[in-house]
């Protein structure tokens, strides 16, 4: 058969991730959403000095705006998972874009810092959370073989937007003030609604095409030439009702699937990620003040973050390409461990940097390792739990990471105030990252790989999940083709006697099969011609 054409009554193309096509538009939307989600809380910091003057508050009070945004981004993960499982990705993202935009617009009319917490912090943070998580889920739906590259390209949105939103915020602040800047930023966040609109659900569209094509195919094949159209339609309706009666009832989809905690790989990943987040964000937060304390001028100290961002832009897509190689992808967890080890050792080795040259070298290596971690973190999670359970897994992981975000950087700041020594903080943060890398690598090798060698290979069961998205899609198409072949009747004769004879033969065969108690084993072809029911469908349980 050639290419699927529903209009001609043929079965449509296989339901599988296209790894391209409209997926590139989805990737662009995910790039924009990732950029806004990670860069916006940091870019808002350019307005802090003006907010301190207008509201007569301290720096720590204004810094809570960014902290609340990040807390909403991480802490509302389970809520996002429930909404995605209930309503789908596109509606959730559209609502999230409206909330994020309205939060910044309302913030431009606030009169005290508490109102800013509720608008720019809670509303905008919740809106970005409702965009970030569904965009990653849609990315995993549209990409399978090229998924590591797609994750790397999408993750590059964070450094790109950070390097552009901060200068843009400074320009808006100088020309329109902080209220005008917030209003324009709110307008920019409406682009999240555009990104949500392009997140076309792949599975639903393809399934509808398959159902329509199959119904038309059955009607065309079962309608004799010259027969009445009403008979053909009634026959098709009867066949559809019989199939629905034979199919097993589908279980309701869980709003939040806690069964992923029975997956040892997920437990290992969650623990290592919690340890990682404790120290991962500490060096870039303290870097500028650390450089100033060593005698580096303010402008050159601020330029260090630009170096990290510039290197990060190229490191993430490059790491995604490497992770997509055939001989690397099965061991992507070890590549993730290596990237964390690289990052931790960079922190430890740079703890005693005492001049600007040493800090620049640190920023180069930190940008590479930080980009590798950012490109691989969600790819590893997708590989562990699969695309079907990813919506629940990422929500629970982000919730656990929220506690680490609230513990790590604030604790580091208190230690700096108490010890007046950045060297100890860099040693501590690097040690936490190295510990997470070693734990992930050793636990993966000891608990997962050895367990796979000892356990016998499981028998193939159509009701069990675990295969790739492509394999599941191909099996669904084979199932659809079996339906069409079972309903295919080769006789198209206009002779009424031939039709009556075939119906009588089928009636007699059904009586014989009923007396015999079913079809005996071993006589498949003969019994199929005698009238045994060969229309046996296999229903795939939800993953």
């Amino acid at each position: 058969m050639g290419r699927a054409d529903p209009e001609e009554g043929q079965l449509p193309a296989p339901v599988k991730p296209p790894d391209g096509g409209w997926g590139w538009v989805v990737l662009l939307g995910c790039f924009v959403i990732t950029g806004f989600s990670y860069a916006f809380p940091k870019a808002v910091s350019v307005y802090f000095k003006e907010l301190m003057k207008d509201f007569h508050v301290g720096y720590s009070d204004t810094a809570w705006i960014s902290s609340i945004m990040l807390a909403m981004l991480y802490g509302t993960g389970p809520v996002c998972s429930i909404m995605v499982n209930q309503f789908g990705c596109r509606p959730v993202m559209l609502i999230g874009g409206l909330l994020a935009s309205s939060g910044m617009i309302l913030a431009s009319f606030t009169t005290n810092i508490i109102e800013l917490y509720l608008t720019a912090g809670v509303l905008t943070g919740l809106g970005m959370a409702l965009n970030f998580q569904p965009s990653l889920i849609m990315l995993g739906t549209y990409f399978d073989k090229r998924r590591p590259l797609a994750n790397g390209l999408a993750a590059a949105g964070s450094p790109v937007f950070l390097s552009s939103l901060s200068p843009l915020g400074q320009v808006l602040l100088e020309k329109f003030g902080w209220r005008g800047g917030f209003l324009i930023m709110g307008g920019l966040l409406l682009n999240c609604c555009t990104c949500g609109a392009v997140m076309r659900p792949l599975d639903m569209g393809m399934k509808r095409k398959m159902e329509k094509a199959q119904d038309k195919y059955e009607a065309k094949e079962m309608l004799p030439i010259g027969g009445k159209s009403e008979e053909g339609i009634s026959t098709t309706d009867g066949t559809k009702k019989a199939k629905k009666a034979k199919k097993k009832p589908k279980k309701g989809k869980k709003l939040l699937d806690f069964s992923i905690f029975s997956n040892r790989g997920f437990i290992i990943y969650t623990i290592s990620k919690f340890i990682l987040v404790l120290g991962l964000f500490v060096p870039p937060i303290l870097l500028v003040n650390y450089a100033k304390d060593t005698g580096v001028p303010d402008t050159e100290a601020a330029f260090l973050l630009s170096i990290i961002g510039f290197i990060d832009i190229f490191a993430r897509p490059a790491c995604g390409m490497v992770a997509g190689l055939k001989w690397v992808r099965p061991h992507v967890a070890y590549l993730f461990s290596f990237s964390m080890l690289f990052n931790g050792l960079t922190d430890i080795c740079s703890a005693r940097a005492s001049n600007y040259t040493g800090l620049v070298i640190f920023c180069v290596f930190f940008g590479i390792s930080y980009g590798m971690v950012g490109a691989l973190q969600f790819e590893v999670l997708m590989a562990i739990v699969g695309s079907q359970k990813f919506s629940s897994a990422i929500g629970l992981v982000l919730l656990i990471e929220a506690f680490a975000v609230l513990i790590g950087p604030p604790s580091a700041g208190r230690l700096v105030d108490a010890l007046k020594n950045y060297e100890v903080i860099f040693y501590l943060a690097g040690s936490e990252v190295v510990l997470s890398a070693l734990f992930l690598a050793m636990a993966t090798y000891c608990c997962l790989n050895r367990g796979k060698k000892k356990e016998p290979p499981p028998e193939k069961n159509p009701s069990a999940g675990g295969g790739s998205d492509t394999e599941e899609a191909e099996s669904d198409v084979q199932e659809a083709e079996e339906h069409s072949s079972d309903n295919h009747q080769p006789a198209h004769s206009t002779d009424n006697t031939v039709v009556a004879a075939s119906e009588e033969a089928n009636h007699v065969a059904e009586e014989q099969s009923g007396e015999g108690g079913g079809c005996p084993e071993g006589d498949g072809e003969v019994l199929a011609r005698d009238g045994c029911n060969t229309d046996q469908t296999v229903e795939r349980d939800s993953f």
Side-chain angles (χ1 to χ4, degrees):
M1 294 178 64
R3 185 177 177 179
D5 188 3
E7 298 299 330
E8 296 181 1
Q10 297 178 355
L11 290 175
V15 181
K16 62 180 181 180
D19 281 308
W22 189 257
W24 297 118
V25 181
V26 174
L27 174 59
L28 178 60
C30 190
F31 175 88
V32 175
I33 295 297
T34 304
F36 274 125
S37 300
Y38 280 119
F40 200 85
K42 302 173 185 177
V44 174
S45 61
V46 300
Y47 300 100
F48 284 175
K49 287 187 177 180
E50 293 297 324
L51 294 175
M52 291 166 61
K53 293 179 181 178
D54 286 2
F55 295 142
H56 306 288
V57 294
Y59 180 82
S60 60
D61 297 322
T62 56
W64 270 104
I65 300 174
S66 298
S67 300
I68 293 174
M69 283 186 183
L70 291 174
M72 296 298 294
L73 180 64
Y74 285 96
T76 57
V79 177
C80 297
S81 297
I82 292 174
M83 294 184 67
V84 168
N85 291 333
Q86 181 69 21
F87 304 107
C89 292
R90 180 187 283 177
V92 173
M93 292 185 67
L94 291 175
I95 294 174
L98 292 175
L99 286 178
S101 176
S102 61
M104 292 303 296
I105 293 174
L106 291 175
S108 64
F109 298 99
T110 55
T111 56
N112 57 65
I113 195 67
I114 302 299
E115 293 176 356
L116 268 179
Y117 293 160
L118 297 175
T119 53
V122 176
L123 271 183
T124 302
L126 178 60
M128 289 189 295
L130 294 178
N131 275 272
F132 176 64
Q133 186 171 322
S135 67
L136 293 177
I137 296 172
M138 291 300 299
L139 191 67
T141 303
Y142 272 84
F143 288 91
D144 184 20
K145 295 180 181 178
R146 296 178 179 175
R147 192 177 63 203
L149 175 61
N151 277 317
L153 291 173
S158 175
V160 170
F161 272 64
L162 181 60
S163 60
S164 57
L165 285 179
S166 296
L168 176 62
Q170 188 65 39
V171 173
L172 294 177
L173 178 63
E174 294 175 356
K175 290 188 175 181
F176 304 102
W178 71 267
R179 294 186 184 274
F182 275 23
L183 190 63
I184 296 175
M185 286 287 194
L188 289 177
L189 286 175
L190 283 175
N191 288 296
C192 295
C193 294
T194 305
C195 297
V198 303
M199 300 294 174
R200 186 171 61 196
L202 178 64
D203 295 338
M204 184 179 298
M206 295 302 295
K207 285 180 180 179
R208 287 177 179 174
K209 289 182 180 179
M210 288 188 69
E211 290 176 359
K212 291 180 181 179
Q214 186 174 346
D215 293 343
K216 196 168 184 178
Y217 184 82
E218 292 171 357
K220 183 178 179 181
E221 293 297 329
M222 298 183 68
L223 182 63
I225 299 176
K228 296 181 180 180
S229 59
E230 295 179 358
E231 295 177 0
I233 295 173
S234 63
T235 306
T236 305
D237 295 339
T239 306
K240 288 171 65 178
K241 292 179 180 178
K243 285 184 179 181
K244 290 181 180 179
K246 291 174 185 176
K247 287 185 178 181
K248 298 178 181 179
K250 293 185 178 180
K251 298 179 180 179
K253 191 172 183 180
K254 297 180 180 179
L255 296 180
L256 193 61
D257 192 357
F258 289 97
S259 64
I260 55 176
F261 284 105
S262 62
N263 187 336
R264 288 181 296 178
F266 177 75
I267 298 296
I268 293 171
Y269 175 86
T270 304
I271 296 174
S272 63
K273 197 69 187 300
F274 178 84
I275 302 173
L276 170 68
V277 175
L278 287 175
L280 181 65
F281 302 119
V282 172
I285 291 175
L286 302 179
L287 178 63
V288 175
N289 290 332
Y290 177 40
K292 291 178 180 179
D293 288 352
T294 57
V296 177
D298 294 351
T299 54
E300 295 181 1
F303 184 69
L304 293 174
L305 292 178
S306 301
I307 296 175
I308 294 177
F310 180 78
I311 300 296
D312 194 6
I313 292 174
F314 299 98
R316 298 194 182 207
C319 185
M321 294 178 63
V322 173
L325 298 176
K326 293 182 179 179
W327 55 276
V328 176
R329 190 171 185 183
H331 311 288
V332 68
Y334 295 107
L335 181 60
F336 186 45
S337 300
F338 171 76
S339 65
M340 292 190 293
L341 181 64
F342 185 15
N343 185 271
L345 293 177
T346 301
D347 295 341
I348 294 174
C349 294
S350 64
R352 304 192 66 176
S354 57
N355 53 38
Y356 188 70
T357 303
L359 291 175
V360 169
I361 296 175
F362 159 73
C363 290
V364 171
F365 284 99
F366 185 86
I368 296 173
S369 60
Y370 189 78
M372 293 174 65
V373 172
L376 295 174
Q377 56 180 343
F378 297 118
E379 169 60 28
V380 174
L381 182 60
M382 288 182 186
I384 292 174
V385 301
S387 60
Q388 298 295 326
K389 293 187 177 182
F390 181 71
S391 60
S392 296
I394 188 175
L396 295 172
V397 167
L398 290 177
L399 176 61
I400 295 172
E401 286 184 23
F403 293 101
V405 169
L406 295 176
I407 294 173
S411 300
R414 290 184 179 181
L415 288 175
V416 169
D417 294 336
L419 302 177
K420 305 298 181 181
N421 188 353
Y422 288 93
E423 184 177 335
V424 176
I425 306 304
F426 274 75
Y427 280 131
L428 181 60
S431 300
E432 291 169 344
V433 177
V434 170
L435 177 61
S436 66
L438 296 178
F439 174 79
L440 178 62
M442 295 177 64
T444 301
Y445 177 77
C446 297
C447 298
L448 299 182
N449 291 351
R450 286 190 175 183
K452 290 180 181 179
K453 292 179 181 179
K454 292 180 181 180
E455 295 177 359
E459 297 180 0
K460 293 183 179 180
N461 186 0
S463 63
S468 65
D469 297 335
T470 306
E471 293 174 352
E472 294 179 0
E474 292 175 353
S475 64
D476 292 338
V477 174
Q478 290 178 0
E479 178 185 341
E481 291 177 352
E482 289 176 2
H483 292 337
S484 62
S485 63
D486 292 336
N487 294 325
H488 182 272
Q489 299 293 335
H492 294 285
S493 173
T494 59
D495 191 355
N496 294 332
T497 58
V498 177
V499 176
S502 62
E503 292 178 354
E504 183 178 356
N506 290 335
H507 180 68
V508 174
E510 290 176 358
E511 291 180 352
Q512 293 176 353
S513 62
E515 294 174 358
C519 296
E521 299 179 357
D523 300 327
E525 297 181 358
V526 178
L527 293 172
R529 288 195 296 268
D530 289 341
C532 284
N533 184 15
T534 59
D535 187 11
Q536 297 178 352
T537 60
V538 179
E539 186 75 16
R540 181 185 300 277
D541 292 336
S542 60
F543 193 78

